[in-house]
Amino acid sequence: MADTPGGHSPGWALAVILALVCVVSGLVSGRPDTVALGAPLVLLALAGRRAQVRRTVHPSFSLDRRGQQQGGRLRLLLAPPGTDSGTPRTSLVAAVLAAPGCAPDVLVLREGEECPVLADGPLSGEVEILSYGTLGFTPDLTHASAFHPAPPVRVSILPPIGSLLARPVSRRLVGLAGTHGSRRPGEGAELRTIAPLEPGDQLRRIDWRSTARRSTDQDRLMVRRSFADAEASVLLVIDQGHDLPASTSDWFAAGSPRLVTGSLHGARTAAATIAASYLAAGDRVGLDDLGGTRRALRTASGARHLEQIRARLAATGVVPRRRRRRDPVPPQGAVVVVLSAFLDPEPGRLLKLWHARGHVVIGVDCVPVLERTEATPAQERTVRLTLLRRRLLLEDLHRDGIAVVDGSVVEGLLADRDRMAAPPAASGTTAPSGRDRPARQADLAVGPDLSLPTGFRLLARRGRPPGVRP
Amino acid sequence: MRWPLAGACRATHVGTPAVPDRRGLVPLWTVRCAAALIAVLLGALVWNGSGWIVLPVVVAAGAAILPSIGLTVLTLLLLVVAYAVNMPAGSPWLLVFAAGLHAVFVLDLLLVHLPLRGWISLSALRLLGVSFLRVQAVAQPLAVLALLVDDAGSSLPLVLVGVAALVAWCCWLIGRRPPQRSRR
């Protein structure tokens, strides 16, 4: 309904036609009142000849920094572009908004008017949350500009961090500084032995009490020798190949994309929590992805590195895997954590490979609490087969002694977990409340038994050498 | 086999629409109802006592809901033609009809551009209202003059006085300065 290149709009044409009808019928029938009926339309047609809607009416969205989150929704501000405040605002602007998976809505405002808008955002990750476009009219509606689509509003939400976890570490720790004890002699706080002074021993290591006790004739000096301190390295490997939604009917959803929380959110949250746990203790953490689409984030430590990891995690989306020339090589003595939905053999193959090379490997199953909402028998069979295949892959890893823990529930993020779960009233199911994975997946859909905190605690206890402090 | 499945009702789950978060907005369905109501009331006026009243009602409701310029044209033509045919000459309803026809024109033309659901701000409605009143400020005296001409018939002085008053009124409207905005 925009203006034609000649400057005439359908509204203006309609006013002219109706005015002509009124005038002609009034003149033919000799009735001045019928002619007067068309007076408003004649005036509109005359006014419409001169008026032109401004063709640069393009409001834009900006994120309102004052209150981003409101009840789990993002607050955006529909703001006009910067214009001269002295210019009178005499046009109308219609902003057509479309959230993912929703029919478009419209917001008609006076030109220059601001309006905050609440839109659903993802729990984590980088997605387009709102598509919009604008068109403008003159107040008498005889002229309208063409619809102007704007770039969609894209947000990036950093993954949340849950309660800190216990830290399983490798027996082959590297480095000469850190918070972990090692079995190597060196400069550390852990006492190894007390022995006579030898060439190369530092004088500050002399233990005068032991010397007085053991060297009765004062002919030799005793020194304290210690275990070296060491730091742990962790490599997080995230599987971007799949994002399995919690509701099984969404596995088959086609059409416009929707904001659905899936396994990738679980992977991001678990990875951020694991990274925060290790980095808080001064260890080094790196990040890689199974798809091999981006360069790996090298292992490093510090709070700034945690922010880098979270930003990289937020940018992860579903990317098809490409053939890699060679498998990723974790740093020596690193703990390798693979976060995946375990729908195909590739994560398991890499876990086995790194396990065979002597790394401590942990699989984190990120499939959320499933809500069985298949709509057809074919869909139900597909879901059962997928879960059966997953179960076989997980059992295979279990046979090889590789621990796989449940990463769908991260402690300290209960509200987040509740949002991921289905609304109980609608589906008739209840969200799990236990810390460990409950009997959430009937029959074939058996996942790991241990939750992320419990699994890491057990692995940390199991992997610790006797006599070495955690 | 479980069929139908317990959670199948959620298979049609859709996203959550974006909503404005401020006061001073009117849902668009209010404007649609107002447009349809005005058209139906005007139709009832001119199709008084006839079974054909159903036709403008349906067309007016369709024009308020569907984004079709054709239905808008049909609604307005049905009203204009029915007025010319059914209403007696010199009826005082002309003043109401002139305002109502203009209102239906404006509202239907606004709705033609817009999706079904939405909101319009009170500020935008005020702007539309001011524009409407500016046109009516000339259209209503013109309608009064038309009634006067119809009634007075051959009384030339009366007609000339009316025309002079209308011209003076229009000249004053055009010649007056717009109100100055305070610059702060």
Side-chain angles (χ1 to χ4, degrees), chain A residues 1 14 18 31 33 39 70 73 75 102 105-106 108 110 113-114 116 118 120 137 139 141 258 371 373-376, chain B residues 3 5 7 10 13 15-22 73 76 84 87 94 106 109 113 117-119 121 123 128 142:
Chain A
M1 297 298 163
L14 182 59
L18 287 169
R31 288 179 55 175
D33 56 341
Q70 285 205 347
R73 308 196 81 191
R75 185 183 162 98
C102 296
D105 292 327
V106 70
V108 183
R110 189 176 180 149
E113 199 178 354
E114 289 185 352
L118 292 179
D120 260 359
F137 331 98
L141 298 167
R258 289 178 286 161
E371 183 192 349
T373 53
E374 306 95 275
T376 64
Chain B
W3 176 260
L5 295 166
R10 278 181 54 80
H13 170 77
T16 313
V19 292
D21 183 33
R22 58 160 258 201
V73 173
L76 293 167
M87 287 298 273
L94 173 67
V106 168
L109 217 51
H113 295 97
R117 296 185 317 162
W119 299 265
S121 74
S123 178
L128 284 174
L142 204 63

Tab-separated table of all heavy atoms in Angstrom, chain A residues 1 14 18 31 33 39 70 73 75 102 105-106 108 110 113-114 116 118 120 137 139 141 258 371 373-376, chain B residues 3 5 7 10 13 15-22 73 76 84 87 94 106 109 113 117-119 121 123 128 142:
chain	number	residue	atom	x	y	z
A	1	MET	N	0.817	-1.194	0.000
A	1	MET	CA	0.000	0.000	0.000
A	1	MET	C	0.861	1.258	0.000
A	1	MET	O	0.427	2.319	0.419
A	1	MET	CB	-0.904	0.001	1.236
A	1	MET	CG	-1.879	-1.140	1.257
A	1	MET	SD	-2.986	-1.060	-0.121
A	1	MET	CE	-3.620	-2.708	-0.135
A	14	LEU	N	-8.262	6.371	-3.485
A	14	LEU	CA	-9.575	6.029	-2.923
A	14	LEU	C	-10.349	7.293	-2.557
A	14	LEU	O	-11.564	7.400	-2.818
A	14	LEU	CB	-9.367	5.142	-1.688
A	14	LEU	CG	-10.614	4.635	-0.990
A	14	LEU	CD1	-11.464	3.816	-1.938
A	14	LEU	CD2	-10.230	3.805	0.220
A	18	LEU	N	-13.985	8.278	-4.283
A	18	LEU	CA	-15.195	8.471	-3.481
A	18	LEU	C	-15.702	9.909	-3.582
A	18	LEU	O	-16.925	10.142	-3.636
A	18	LEU	CB	-14.910	8.120	-2.021
A	18	LEU	CG	-14.756	6.619	-1.754
A	18	LEU	CD1	-14.218	6.378	-0.363
A	18	LEU	CD2	-16.085	5.911	-1.925
A	31	ARG	N	-28.793	17.189	-5.518
A	31	ARG	CA	-28.808	17.225	-4.047
A	31	ARG	C	-27.477	17.755	-3.526
A	31	ARG	O	-26.452	17.075	-3.608
A	31	ARG	CB	-29.069	15.823	-3.490
A	31	ARG	CG	-30.492	15.362	-3.682
A	31	ARG	CD	-30.684	13.975	-3.153
A	31	ARG	NE	-30.281	13.873	-1.745
A	31	ARG	CZ	-30.449	12.771	-1.027
A	31	ARG	NH1	-31.022	11.705	-1.583
A	31	ARG	NH2	-30.063	12.717	0.219
A	33	ASP	N	-26.600	18.082	-0.499
A	33	ASP	CA	-26.108	17.354	0.682
A	33	ASP	C	-25.240	16.157	0.277
A	33	ASP	O	-24.285	15.808	0.968
A	33	ASP	CB	-27.271	16.908	1.576
A	33	ASP	CG	-28.286	16.068	0.828
A	33	ASP	OD1	-28.303	16.130	-0.412
A	33	ASP	OD2	-29.036	15.319	1.483
A	39	ALA	N	-17.191	16.165	0.856
A	39	ALA	CA	-16.279	17.269	1.185
A	39	ALA	C	-15.031	16.808	1.932
A	39	ALA	O	-13.912	17.211	1.578
A	39	ALA	CB	-17.027	18.324	1.984
A	70	GLN	N	13.620	-9.083	32.480
A	70	GLN	CA	12.389	-8.862	33.229
A	70	GLN	C	11.595	-10.150	33.172
A	70	GLN	O	10.970	-10.465	32.167
A	70	GLN	CB	11.587	-7.720	32.613
A	70	GLN	CG	12.188	-6.360	32.927
A	70	GLN	CD	11.154	-5.270	32.859
A	70	GLN	OE1	10.055	-5.473	32.356
A	70	GLN	NE2	11.479	-4.110	33.370
A	73	ARG	N	12.582	-12.387	30.404
A	73	ARG	CA	12.479	-11.839	29.053
A	73	ARG	C	13.439	-10.667	28.900
A	73	ARG	O	13.791	-10.023	29.878
A	73	ARG	CB	11.047	-11.376	28.769
A	73	ARG	CG	10.003	-12.444	29.062
A	73	ARG	CD	8.691	-12.113	28.429
A	73	ARG	NE	8.691	-12.476	27.026
A	73	ARG	CZ	7.750	-12.113	26.165
A	73	ARG	NH1	6.750	-11.381	26.562
A	73	ARG	NH2	7.804	-12.488	24.901
A	75	ARG	N	14.465	-6.965	27.551
A	75	ARG	CA	13.785	-5.692	27.320
A	75	ARG	C	14.551	-4.936	26.242
A	75	ARG	O	15.723	-4.615	26.420
A	75	ARG	CB	13.744	-4.903	28.617
A	75	ARG	CG	12.978	-3.620	28.556
A	75	ARG	CD	13.108	-2.944	29.910
A	75	ARG	NE	12.772	-1.550	29.851
A	75	ARG	CZ	11.595	-1.042	30.187
A	75	ARG	NH1	10.654	-1.822	30.590
A	75	ARG	NH2	11.380	0.247	30.109
A	102	CYS	N	6.411	-16.907	15.887
A	102	CYS	CA	5.178	-16.168	16.199
A	102	CYS	C	4.695	-15.404	14.974
A	102	CYS	O	5.501	-15.025	14.118
A	102	CYS	CB	5.417	-15.163	17.314
A	102	CYS	SG	5.847	-15.892	18.866
A	105	ASP	N	3.304	-8.959	14.916
A	105	ASP	CA	2.489	-7.967	15.612
A	105	ASP	C	2.940	-6.595	15.130
A	105	ASP	O	4.011	-6.463	14.554
A	105	ASP	CB	2.693	-8.057	17.122
A	105	ASP	CG	2.128	-9.332	17.689
A	105	ASP	OD1	1.111	-9.797	17.146
A	105	ASP	OD2	2.693	-9.866	18.638
A	106	VAL	N	2.099	-5.595	15.410
A	106	VAL	CA	2.457	-4.258	14.952
A	106	VAL	C	2.339	-3.274	16.102
A	106	VAL	O	1.536	-3.459	17.027
A	106	VAL	CB	1.569	-3.832	13.762
A	106	VAL	CG1	0.147	-3.587	14.197
A	106	VAL	CG2	2.128	-2.591	13.090
A	108	VAL	N	1.987	0.814	16.433
A	108	VAL	CA	1.853	2.090	15.724
A	108	VAL	C	2.176	3.209	16.700
A	108	VAL	O	1.547	3.318	17.755
A	108	VAL	CB	0.428	2.259	15.162
A	108	VAL	CG1	0.323	3.542	14.366
A	108	VAL	CG2	0.051	1.083	14.296
A	110	ARG	N	3.726	7.438	17.191
A	110	ARG	CA	4.003	8.733	16.581
A	110	ARG	C	5.500	8.789	16.270
A	110	ARG	O	6.307	8.214	17.012
A	110	ARG	CB	3.633	9.825	17.580
A	110	ARG	CG	3.658	11.196	17.009
A	110	ARG	CD	3.191	12.186	18.049
A	110	ARG	NE	3.213	13.513	17.485
A	110	ARG	CZ	2.394	14.474	17.834
A	110	ARG	NH1	1.483	14.247	18.740
A	110	ARG	NH2	2.458	15.656	17.285
A	113	GLU	N	8.537	8.654	18.896
A	113	GLU	CA	8.099	8.101	20.174
A	113	GLU	C	8.890	6.829	20.482
A	113	GLU	O	9.137	6.026	19.586
A	113	GLU	CB	6.598	7.777	20.080
A	113	GLU	CG	5.916	7.639	21.398
A	113	GLU	CD	4.417	7.369	21.222
A	113	GLU	OE1	3.937	7.403	20.077
A	113	GLU	OE2	3.755	7.107	22.235
A	114	GLU	N	9.247	6.641	21.733
A	114	GLU	CA	9.976	5.442	22.144
A	114	GLU	C	9.017	4.441	22.751
A	114	GLU	O	8.003	4.811	23.325
A	114	GLU	CB	11.036	5.792	23.190
A	114	GLU	CG	12.212	6.554	22.653
A	114	GLU	CD	13.280	6.751	23.718
A	114	GLU	OE1	13.030	6.423	24.890
A	114	GLU	OE2	14.353	7.245	23.356
A	116	PRO	N	9.459	0.565	24.871
A	116	PRO	CA	10.184	-0.656	25.224
A	116	PRO	C	9.371	-1.891	24.852
A	116	PRO	O	8.138	-1.876	24.908
A	116	PRO	CB	10.353	-0.550	26.742
A	116	PRO	CG	9.382	0.453	27.187
A	116	PRO	CD	8.938	1.269	26.032
A	118	LEU	N	9.236	-6.237	25.282
A	118	LEU	CA	9.747	-7.430	25.956
A	118	LEU	C	9.725	-8.588	24.970
A	118	LEU	O	8.699	-8.868	24.354
A	118	LEU	CB	8.882	-7.776	27.164
A	118	LEU	CG	8.924	-6.800	28.344
A	118	LEU	CD1	8.005	-7.282	29.448
A	118	LEU	CD2	10.330	-6.654	28.871
A	120	ASP	N	11.305	-12.732	24.223
A	120	ASP	CA	11.953	-13.918	24.786
A	120	ASP	C	13.390	-14.009	24.310
A	120	ASP	O	13.661	-13.792	23.128
A	120	ASP	CB	11.203	-15.173	24.336
A	120	ASP	CG	10.288	-15.667	25.434
A	120	ASP	OD1	10.278	-15.040	26.500
A	120	ASP	OD2	9.606	-16.681	25.219
A	137	PHE	N	3.319	6.603	7.746
A	137	PHE	CA	2.147	7.204	7.084
A	137	PHE	C	2.059	8.674	7.440
A	137	PHE	O	2.545	9.085	8.491
A	137	PHE	CB	0.801	6.637	7.555
A	137	PHE	CG	0.784	5.251	8.018
A	137	PHE	CD1	0.847	4.951	9.361
A	137	PHE	CD2	0.670	4.238	7.110
A	137	PHE	CE1	0.795	3.658	9.789
A	137	PHE	CE2	0.615	2.951	7.541
A	137	PHE	CZ	0.673	2.641	8.872
A	139	PRO	N	-0.529	11.584	8.774
A	139	PRO	CA	-1.659	11.443	9.714
A	139	PRO	C	-3.015	11.315	9.026
A	139	PRO	O	-3.941	10.725	9.584
A	139	PRO	CB	-1.598	12.733	10.539
A	139	PRO	CG	-0.251	13.274	10.337
A	139	PRO	CD	0.231	12.820	9.021
A	141	LEU	N	-3.411	9.632	6.368
A	141	LEU	CA	-3.329	8.289	5.796
A	141	LEU	C	-3.455	8.258	4.279
A	141	LEU	O	-3.720	7.201	3.708
A	141	LEU	CB	-4.380	7.366	6.425
A	141	LEU	CG	-4.183	7.177	7.929
A	141	LEU	CD1	-5.407	6.532	8.533
A	141	LEU	CD2	-2.980	6.338	8.205
A	258	ARG	N	12.466	-21.574	16.239
A	258	ARG	CA	11.912	-21.085	17.503
A	258	ARG	C	12.988	-21.112	18.563
A	258	ARG	O	14.007	-21.787	18.423
A	258	ARG	CB	10.752	-21.988	17.941
A	258	ARG	CG	9.533	-21.831	17.082
A	258	ARG	CD	8.455	-22.772	17.530
A	258	ARG	NE	8.737	-24.137	17.147
A	258	ARG	CZ	8.170	-25.185	17.710
A	258	ARG	NH1	7.332	-25.030	18.681
A	258	ARG	NH2	8.464	-26.399	17.300
A	371	GLU	N	11.048	-34.723	27.484
A	371	GLU	CA	9.597	-34.647	27.639
A	371	GLU	C	9.018	-35.343	26.410
A	371	GLU	O	9.165	-34.834	25.293
A	371	GLU	CB	9.211	-33.179	27.688
A	371	GLU	CG	7.768	-32.924	27.925
A	371	GLU	CD	7.463	-31.457	27.663
A	371	GLU	OE1	8.415	-30.671	27.516
A	371	GLU	OE2	6.284	-31.124	27.580
A	373	THR	N	6.804	-36.022	23.818
A	373	THR	CA	5.614	-35.389	23.221
A	373	THR	C	5.488	-35.737	21.742
A	373	THR	O	5.007	-34.934	20.957
A	373	THR	CB	5.705	-33.860	23.367
A	373	THR	OG1	6.953	-33.437	22.841
A	373	THR	CG2	5.599	-33.419	24.797
A	374	GLU	N	5.935	-36.922	21.365
A	374	GLU	CA	5.815	-37.297	19.963
A	374	GLU	C	4.344	-37.316	19.555
A	374	GLU	O	3.469	-37.679	20.349
A	374	GLU	CB	6.417	-38.682	19.709
A	374	GLU	CG	7.833	-38.865	20.168
A	374	GLU	CD	7.913	-39.474	21.550
A	374	GLU	OE1	7.835	-38.685	22.498
A	374	GLU	OE2	8.051	-40.681	21.685
A	375	ALA	N	4.104	-36.930	18.318
A	375	ALA	CA	2.712	-36.796	17.868
A	375	ALA	C	2.251	-37.991	17.043
A	375	ALA	O	1.043	-38.212	16.910
A	375	ALA	CB	2.556	-35.516	17.059
A	376	THR	N	3.146	-38.753	16.481
A	376	THR	CA	2.740	-39.876	15.630
A	376	THR	C	3.522	-41.120	16.033
A	376	THR	O	4.599	-41.023	16.635
A	376	THR	CB	3.036	-39.579	14.149
A	376	THR	OG1	4.451	-39.464	13.984
A	376	THR	CG2	2.365	-38.302	13.673
B	3	TRP	N	-0.931	-44.371	22.272
B	3	TRP	CA	-1.477	-43.523	21.211
B	3	TRP	C	-2.898	-43.145	21.538
B	3	TRP	O	-3.708	-44.026	21.798
B	3	TRP	CB	-1.426	-44.265	19.873
B	3	TRP	CG	-2.071	-43.473	18.779
B	3	TRP	CD1	-3.323	-43.641	18.275
B	3	TRP	CD2	-1.494	-42.396	18.082
B	3	TRP	NE1	-3.562	-42.739	17.312
B	3	TRP	CE2	-2.463	-41.948	17.161
B	3	TRP	CE3	-0.271	-41.748	18.148
B	3	TRP	CZ2	-2.226	-40.895	16.310
B	3	TRP	CZ3	-0.062	-40.714	17.281
B	3	TRP	CH2	-1.016	-40.303	16.377
B	5	LEU	N	-0.348	-39.923	22.546
B	5	LEU	CA	0.611	-39.774	23.624
B	5	LEU	C	0.150	-38.707	24.606
B	5	LEU	O	-0.592	-37.798	24.254
B	5	LEU	CB	1.969	-39.387	23.050
B	5	LEU	CG	2.566	-40.478	22.176
B	5	LEU	CD1	3.704	-39.923	21.381
B	5	LEU	CD2	3.024	-41.630	23.019
B	7	GLY	N	1.671	-36.291	26.075
B	7	GLY	CA	2.097	-34.905	25.892
B	7	GLY	C	1.853	-34.367	24.507
B	7	GLY	O	2.407	-33.342	24.134
B	10	ARG	N	1.204	-30.714	23.523
B	10	ARG	CA	2.212	-29.674	23.457
B	10	ARG	C	2.943	-29.655	22.115
B	10	ARG	O	3.860	-28.888	21.915
B	10	ARG	CB	3.233	-29.870	24.567
B	10	ARG	CG	2.773	-29.311	25.893
B	10	ARG	CD	3.833	-29.517	26.942
B	10	ARG	NE	5.130	-28.981	26.538
B	10	ARG	CZ	5.459	-27.706	26.601
B	10	ARG	NH1	4.606	-26.828	27.034
B	10	ARG	NH2	6.665	-27.311	26.227
B	13	HIS	N	3.261	-26.366	20.235
B	13	HIS	CA	3.857	-25.274	20.995
B	13	HIS	C	4.463	-24.235	20.053
B	13	HIS	O	5.144	-24.566	19.108
B	13	HIS	CB	4.934	-25.864	21.889
B	13	HIS	CG	5.778	-24.840	22.554
B	13	HIS	ND1	5.338	-24.143	23.639
B	13	HIS	CD2	7.015	-24.397	22.278
B	13	HIS	CE1	6.292	-23.315	24.011
B	13	HIS	NE2	7.325	-23.448	23.206
B	15	GLY	N	6.207	-20.046	19.767
B	15	GLY	CA	7.015	-19.114	20.537
B	15	GLY	C	6.152	-18.084	21.246
B	15	GLY	O	4.940	-18.015	21.059
B	16	THR	N	6.821	-17.292	22.074
B	16	THR	CA	6.122	-16.241	22.807
B	16	THR	C	6.286	-14.927	22.056
B	16	THR	O	7.405	-14.542	21.740
B	16	THR	CB	6.726	-16.097	24.216
B	16	THR	OG1	6.860	-17.396	24.771
B	16	THR	CG2	5.847	-15.246	25.102
B	17	PRO	N	5.191	-14.252	21.741
B	17	PRO	CA	5.336	-13.007	20.966
B	17	PRO	C	5.965	-11.888	21.782
B	17	PRO	O	5.891	-11.887	23.014
B	17	PRO	CB	3.892	-12.670	20.577
B	17	PRO	CG	3.046	-13.367	21.570
B	17	PRO	CD	3.791	-14.576	22.030
B	18	ALA	N	6.556	-10.948	21.077
B	18	ALA	CA	7.113	-9.763	21.729
B	18	ALA	C	5.963	-8.821	22.066
B	18	ALA	O	5.040	-8.650	21.264
B	18	ALA	CB	8.094	-9.076	20.800
B	19	VAL	N	6.013	-8.243	23.261
B	19	VAL	CA	4.932	-7.347	23.696
B	19	VAL	C	5.530	-6.029	24.161
B	19	VAL	O	6.623	-6.005	24.720
B	19	VAL	CB	4.093	-7.973	24.831
B	19	VAL	CG1	3.291	-9.149	24.339
B	19	VAL	CG2	4.962	-8.390	25.988
B	20	PRO	N	4.816	-4.930	23.951
B	20	PRO	CA	5.322	-3.648	24.449
B	20	PRO	C	5.220	-3.587	25.963
B	20	PRO	O	4.327	-4.198	26.554
B	20	PRO	CB	4.410	-2.620	23.780
B	20	PRO	CG	3.183	-3.353	23.416
B	20	PRO	CD	3.571	-4.775	23.194
B	21	ASP	N	6.117	-2.848	26.564
B	21	ASP	CA	6.187	-2.783	28.019
B	21	ASP	C	6.065	-1.329	28.475
B	21	ASP	O	7.001	-0.751	29.015
B	21	ASP	CB	7.524	-3.387	28.481
B	21	ASP	CG	7.634	-3.423	29.997
B	21	ASP	OD1	6.605	-3.599	30.648
B	21	ASP	OD2	8.746	-3.240	30.519
B	22	ARG	N	4.941	-0.735	28.185
B	22	ARG	CA	4.680	0.620	28.683
B	22	ARG	C	3.188	0.893	28.629
B	22	ARG	O	2.422	0.136	28.019
B	22	ARG	CB	5.440	1.669	27.880
B	22	ARG	CG	5.133	1.676	26.401
B	22	ARG	CD	5.514	2.975	25.740
B	22	ARG	NE	4.323	3.764	25.528
B	22	ARG	CZ	4.247	4.743	24.628
B	22	ARG	NH1	5.302	5.059	23.918
B	22	ARG	NH2	3.138	5.414	24.451
B	73	VAL	N	-13.064	-0.128	-0.112
B	73	VAL	CA	-13.779	0.601	-1.172
B	73	VAL	C	-15.250	0.224	-1.155
B	73	VAL	O	-16.141	1.087	-1.226
B	73	VAL	CB	-13.142	0.278	-2.545
B	73	VAL	CG1	-13.972	0.879	-3.666
B	73	VAL	CG2	-11.726	0.779	-2.613
B	76	LEU	N	-17.203	1.762	1.790
B	76	LEU	CA	-17.470	3.196	1.637
B	76	LEU	C	-18.483	3.450	0.520
B	76	LEU	O	-19.377	4.299	0.661
B	76	LEU	CB	-16.153	3.929	1.372
B	76	LEU	CG	-15.176	3.912	2.570
B	76	LEU	CD1	-13.793	4.350	2.153
B	76	LEU	CD2	-15.694	4.805	3.684
B	84	ALA	N	-27.176	8.293	-0.784
B	84	ALA	CA	-27.741	9.060	-1.905
B	84	ALA	C	-29.109	8.530	-2.303
B	84	ALA	O	-29.989	9.287	-2.721
B	84	ALA	CB	-26.782	9.008	-3.099
B	87	MET	N	-31.613	8.187	1.825
B	87	MET	CA	-31.838	9.289	2.764
B	87	MET	C	-32.582	10.436	2.066
B	87	MET	O	-32.230	10.795	0.930
B	87	MET	CB	-30.506	9.815	3.308
B	87	MET	CG	-29.845	8.872	4.294
B	87	MET	SD	-30.810	8.586	5.777
B	87	MET	CE	-30.254	9.958	6.770
B	94	LEU	N	-26.957	14.381	7.860
B	94	LEU	CA	-25.812	14.621	6.968
B	94	LEU	C	-24.544	14.936	7.765
B	94	LEU	O	-23.456	14.460	7.429
B	94	LEU	CB	-26.133	15.786	6.026
B	94	LEU	CG	-24.953	16.250	5.164
B	94	LEU	CD1	-24.558	15.174	4.175
B	94	LEU	CD2	-25.281	17.537	4.429
B	106	VAL	N	-10.691	6.786	7.359
B	106	VAL	CA	-9.385	6.886	8.024
B	106	VAL	C	-9.033	5.576	8.724
B	106	VAL	O	-7.926	5.049	8.575
B	106	VAL	CB	-9.388	8.067	9.019
B	106	VAL	CG1	-8.169	8.016	9.918
B	106	VAL	CG2	-9.427	9.383	8.275
B	109	LEU	N	-8.392	2.662	6.305
B	109	LEU	CA	-7.131	2.867	5.590
B	109	LEU	C	-5.934	2.610	6.509
B	109	LEU	O	-4.898	2.117	6.072
B	109	LEU	CB	-7.079	4.287	5.045
B	109	LEU	CG	-6.429	4.458	3.673
B	109	LEU	CD1	-7.022	3.511	2.663
B	109	LEU	CD2	-6.571	5.884	3.206
B	113	HIS	N	-2.956	-1.314	6.290
B	113	HIS	CA	-1.501	-1.439	6.288
B	113	HIS	C	-0.980	-2.399	7.334
B	113	HIS	O	0.188	-2.758	7.301
B	113	HIS	CB	-0.862	-0.071	6.566
B	113	HIS	CG	-1.120	0.944	5.509
B	113	HIS	ND1	-2.122	1.871	5.619
B	113	HIS	CD2	-0.531	1.161	4.319
B	113	HIS	CE1	-2.127	2.636	4.538
B	113	HIS	NE2	-1.174	2.222	3.739
B	117	ARG	N	-2.810	-8.365	14.640
B	117	ARG	CA	-2.664	-8.031	16.061
B	117	ARG	C	-1.651	-6.909	16.249
B	117	ARG	O	-0.719	-6.783	15.467
B	117	ARG	CB	-2.204	-9.259	16.846
B	117	ARG	CG	-3.197	-10.385	16.835
B	117	ARG	CD	-2.732	-11.492	17.719
B	117	ARG	NE	-1.310	-11.767	17.552
B	117	ARG	CZ	-0.581	-12.431	18.424
B	117	ARG	NH1	-1.136	-12.866	19.519
B	117	ARG	NH2	0.704	-12.652	18.208
B	118	GLY	N	-1.865	-6.144	17.300
B	118	GLY	CA	-0.897	-5.081	17.564
B	118	GLY	C	-1.459	-4.058	18.517
B	118	GLY	O	-2.482	-4.276	19.174
B	119	TRP	N	-0.750	-2.959	18.595
B	119	TRP	CA	-1.103	-1.882	19.513
B	119	TRP	C	-0.887	-0.552	18.802
B	119	TRP	O	-0.056	-0.449	17.899
B	119	TRP	CB	-0.213	-1.913	20.761
B	119	TRP	CG	-0.326	-3.154	21.544
B	119	TRP	CD1	-1.117	-3.399	22.620
B	119	TRP	CD2	0.398	-4.380	21.322
B	119	TRP	NE1	-0.941	-4.672	23.076
B	119	TRP	CE2	-0.020	-5.294	22.299
B	119	TRP	CE3	1.343	-4.785	20.382
B	119	TRP	CZ2	0.481	-6.590	22.370
B	119	TRP	CZ3	1.843	-6.075	20.442
B	119	TRP	CH2	1.414	-6.950	21.429
B	121	SER	N	-0.408	3.637	19.899
B	121	SER	CA	-0.197	4.499	21.069
B	121	SER	C	-1.246	5.606	21.083
B	121	SER	O	-1.781	6.012	20.042
B	121	SER	CB	1.198	5.093	21.039
B	121	SER	OG	1.276	6.096	20.072
B	123	SER	N	-0.696	8.580	21.700
B	123	SER	CA	-0.120	9.748	21.016
B	123	SER	C	-0.411	9.682	19.512
B	123	SER	O	-0.744	10.690	18.885
B	123	SER	CB	1.378	9.767	21.295
B	123	SER	OG	1.978	10.814	20.642
B	128	LEU	N	-3.915	11.238	14.842
B	128	LEU	CA	-4.973	10.918	13.877
B	128	LEU	C	-6.213	11.766	14.140
B	128	LEU	O	-6.861	12.265	13.206
B	128	LEU	CB	-5.348	9.430	13.983
B	128	LEU	CG	-4.387	8.421	13.365
B	128	LEU	CD1	-4.834	7.005	13.702
B	128	LEU	CD2	-4.344	8.587	11.856
B	142	LEU	N	-19.345	23.119	5.703
B	142	LEU	CA	-19.778	22.891	4.318
B	142	LEU	C	-21.079	22.093	4.284
B	142	LEU	O	-21.986	22.369	3.479
B	142	LEU	CB	-18.665	22.152	3.574
B	142	LEU	CG	-18.641	22.312	2.068
B	142	LEU	CD1	-18.401	23.758	1.683
B	142	LEU	CD2	-17.541	21.440	1.468
